Amino acid sequence: MKRLLPAFLGLWLAACGVQPSPPQVGELLNAPTALNVNGQMVTVGAAPAAGAGGFGVRVQLNSARSPLPPVRLDGVFVVGGEGLWKAPIRGAGTQATVWGRNVAGLQPGEPVQVVVRLLDDRGRVLWLRGAQTRVGQAP
């Protein structure tokens, strides 16, 4: 019975809507740069920017064919030299913009990797990493 307790606890937490712990930086950097979803390749484009008002990222899912397969954005993670920045996205479709204030360590010109968490039409979590990019200057 003691062996089953962690499994039951995990199922109970999932049923209550509690999300598992966020992924580690290494896991994020191992995410694929393209996903085959229902026979269609999906990539993500990202435009991070920092300025006096904070840090933000605009993300958009892309595919050579339209419409895009049934996936939607659920979270944005940015890996930079100082660590990890994350922002949930609720109710987004295939594009979104997220902003944060007082984000230390993400400055214009810094190279970063943007990784998005996706949900498919069955509620499964998928991870997708964009190409390495540099933080731009926010207006």
Side-chain angles (χ1 to χ4, degrees), residues 49-57 85 98-104 106-108 136-139:
F55 175 79
V57 182
W85 180 81
V98 292
W99 282 92
R101 299 211 181 273
N102 301 323
V103 178
L106 293 171
Q107 304 299 320
Q137 180 70 45

Side-chain angles (χ1 to χ4, degrees), residues 13-14 16 23 25-26 39 43 50 66 72 80 84 89-91 113-115 118:
L13 289 173
C16 293
V25 169
T43 60
S66 72
R72 62 184 170 87
L84 175 66
I89 302 175
R90 298 292 176 236
Q113 291 266 206
V114 177
V115 181
L118 307 173

